[in-house]
Every structure is written in structure tokens, then in C-alpha cells.
Amino acid sequence: MGLELTYIEGQTPIDENEKHGLRIPSITTREELDEFEQLNIEKAVEWTIKRKFNQEIILSEQFVKELHLRMYDDVWKWAGKFRTTNKNIGIDWLLISVALKQLLDDSKFWI
């Protein structure tokens, strides 16, 4: 059957190529997807609680990508990677790595 999602205003749509990255083929509704993502996010929270991270680690691209991976890897094959399509929010996908570096550098400066 596949993943057929309806979106409410403000939600970021998942394009057809991204849907192919779904690891759980039995998910067919937004509610099911949200539930599995929430469970995965809770596992990532537990991972962060069990560790001590210093400022240098947290404010790194590697950490941001690792956290994203841990938040979504059980659900999405593309977890932990920068997106490759534009969305209704955010910046052009080609600028993500540059903007993230700027954000992390700014954060280091202001701390």
C-alpha cells in the first residue's frame, strides 16, 4: 500500500524519493509515522542522558548529524544526512552545511 500522508498547514511534506527511505513498510498513516518517530526520538534522548558531552563535541557538525541519526535511524534510511531537496521551510538544501557551520561557529563565539 505504501505511505500516503495528508498534511496540515505548516507541516513539511515528504517527497516520493524520501518515502523510499522508510524502514518500516507497515507504516501507512501520519499517526503511525509520528508514533515511530517519537519512539526513536525517546531513544536518542536516553542516549544523550547517559553521556557527558562537552561544548566542543555538541557544537560540531559530527554531533548534530549523529544526534539526527539517533533520532530517526529506526524509521528513515536517510537519518543523519543532510537533505537533498528543498522544503517549505528552511534554506536551500545546497546551503545547509555552510549555514550549520556558521551557526555552530557563532554559538561557540557567544558562549
PDB file of all heavy atoms in Angstrom, residues 15 18 22 31-32 36 38 69 84:
ATOM      1  N   ASP A  15       8.775  14.072   0.159  1.00  0.00           N
ATOM      2  CA  ASP A  15       8.611  13.770  -1.262  1.00  0.00           C
ATOM      3  C   ASP A  15       8.722  12.267  -1.510  1.00  0.00           C
ATOM      4  O   ASP A  15       9.094  11.496  -0.616  1.00  0.00           O
ATOM      5  CB  ASP A  15       9.554  14.591  -2.135  1.00  0.00           C
ATOM      6  CG  ASP A  15      11.015  14.207  -2.006  1.00  0.00           C
ATOM      7  OD1 ASP A  15      11.319  13.033  -1.740  1.00  0.00           O
ATOM      8  OD2 ASP A  15      11.868  15.082  -2.204  1.00  0.00           O
ATOM      9  N   GLU A  18      12.039  10.552  -0.742  1.00  0.00           N
ATOM     10  CA  GLU A  18      12.267  10.408   0.698  1.00  0.00           C
ATOM     11  C   GLU A  18      11.437   9.270   1.277  1.00  0.00           C
ATOM     12  O   GLU A  18      11.898   8.554   2.167  1.00  0.00           O
ATOM     13  CB  GLU A  18      11.943  11.723   1.412  1.00  0.00           C
ATOM     14  CG  GLU A  18      12.905  12.832   1.062  1.00  0.00           C
ATOM     15  CD  GLU A  18      12.420  14.196   1.487  1.00  0.00           C
ATOM     16  OE1 GLU A  18      11.194  14.425   1.552  1.00  0.00           O
ATOM     17  OE2 GLU A  18      13.282  15.046   1.755  1.00  0.00           O
ATOM     18  N   LEU A  22      11.864   4.960   3.973  1.00  0.00           N
ATOM     19  CA  LEU A  22      11.148   4.467   5.155  1.00  0.00           C
ATOM     20  C   LEU A  22      11.560   3.032   5.455  1.00  0.00           C
ATOM     21  O   LEU A  22      11.495   2.160   4.607  1.00  0.00           O
ATOM     22  CB  LEU A  22       9.634   4.549   4.907  1.00  0.00           C
ATOM     23  CG  LEU A  22       8.733   4.254   6.093  1.00  0.00           C
ATOM     24  CD1 LEU A  22       8.956   5.260   7.220  1.00  0.00           C
ATOM     25  CD2 LEU A  22       7.277   4.278   5.663  1.00  0.00           C
ATOM     26  N   GLU A  31      -0.176   9.313  11.640  1.00  0.00           N
ATOM     27  CA  GLU A  31      -0.197   8.975  13.064  1.00  0.00           C
ATOM     28  C   GLU A  31       0.809   7.868  13.378  1.00  0.00           C
ATOM     29  O   GLU A  31       1.520   7.927  14.385  1.00  0.00           O
ATOM     30  CB  GLU A  31      -1.603   8.566  13.505  1.00  0.00           C
ATOM     31  CG  GLU A  31      -2.612   9.690  13.502  1.00  0.00           C
ATOM     32  CD  GLU A  31      -3.125  10.062  12.106  1.00  0.00           C
ATOM     33  OE1 GLU A  31      -3.003   9.237  11.154  1.00  0.00           O
ATOM     34  OE2 GLU A  31      -3.636  11.190  11.954  1.00  0.00           O
ATOM     35  N   GLU A  32       0.844   6.842  12.541  1.00  0.00           N
ATOM     36  CA  GLU A  32       1.807   5.752  12.749  1.00  0.00           C
ATOM     37  C   GLU A  32       3.234   6.260  12.599  1.00  0.00           C
ATOM     38  O   GLU A  32       4.108   5.919  13.410  1.00  0.00           O
ATOM     39  CB  GLU A  32       1.555   4.625  11.748  1.00  0.00           C
ATOM     40  CG  GLU A  32       0.267   3.884  11.979  1.00  0.00           C
ATOM     41  CD  GLU A  32      -0.097   2.945  10.846  1.00  0.00           C
ATOM     42  OE1 GLU A  32       0.426   3.086   9.717  1.00  0.00           O
ATOM     43  OE2 GLU A  32      -0.921   2.054  11.090  1.00  0.00           O
ATOM     44  N   PHE A  36       6.195   6.156  15.577  1.00  0.00           N
ATOM     45  CA  PHE A  36       7.503   5.513  15.447  1.00  0.00           C
ATOM     46  C   PHE A  36       8.637   6.528  15.566  1.00  0.00           C
ATOM     47  O   PHE A  36       9.669   6.243  16.182  1.00  0.00           O
ATOM     48  CB  PHE A  36       7.606   4.738  14.130  1.00  0.00           C
ATOM     49  CG  PHE A  36       6.974   3.380  14.192  1.00  0.00           C
ATOM     50  CD1 PHE A  36       5.690   3.171  13.708  1.00  0.00           C
ATOM     51  CD2 PHE A  36       7.657   2.304  14.752  1.00  0.00           C
ATOM     52  CE1 PHE A  36       5.100   1.916  13.766  1.00  0.00           C
ATOM     53  CE2 PHE A  36       7.074   1.043  14.823  1.00  0.00           C
ATOM     54  CZ  PHE A  36       5.793   0.850  14.324  1.00  0.00           C
ATOM     55  N   GLN A  38       8.516   9.291  17.306  1.00  0.00           N
ATOM     56  CA  GLN A  38       8.579   9.673  18.717  1.00  0.00           C
ATOM     57  C   GLN A  38       9.333   8.631  19.541  1.00  0.00           C
ATOM     58  O   GLN A  38      10.153   8.978  20.394  1.00  0.00           O
ATOM     59  CB  GLN A  38       7.171   9.885  19.292  1.00  0.00           C
ATOM     60  CG  GLN A  38       7.165  10.305  20.746  1.00  0.00           C
ATOM     61  CD  GLN A  38       7.860  11.625  20.995  1.00  0.00           C
ATOM     62  OE1 GLN A  38       7.743  12.546  20.204  1.00  0.00           O
ATOM     63  NE2 GLN A  38       8.594  11.719  22.094  1.00  0.00           N
ATOM     64  N   LEU A  69      20.830  11.152  13.378  1.00  0.00           N
ATOM     65  CA  LEU A  69      20.835   9.719  13.081  1.00  0.00           C
ATOM     66  C   LEU A  69      20.145   8.942  14.197  1.00  0.00           C
ATOM     67  O   LEU A  69      19.283   8.104  13.952  1.00  0.00           O
ATOM     68  CB  LEU A  69      22.267   9.227  12.891  1.00  0.00           C
ATOM     69  CG  LEU A  69      22.437   7.735  12.638  1.00  0.00           C
ATOM     70  CD1 LEU A  69      21.945   7.372  11.240  1.00  0.00           C
ATOM     71  CD2 LEU A  69      23.888   7.322  12.802  1.00  0.00           C
ATOM     72  N   THR A  84      18.451  16.519   0.565  1.00  0.00           N
ATOM     73  CA  THR A  84      18.870  16.795  -0.815  1.00  0.00           C
ATOM     74  C   THR A  84      17.730  17.383  -1.640  1.00  0.00           C
ATOM     75  O   THR A  84      17.769  17.339  -2.869  1.00  0.00           O
ATOM     76  CB  THR A  84      19.389  15.507  -1.487  1.00  0.00           C
ATOM     77  OG1 THR A  84      18.360  14.518  -1.451  1.00  0.00           O
ATOM     78  CG2 THR A  84      20.635  14.985  -0.789  1.00  0.00           C
TER      79      THR A  84
END
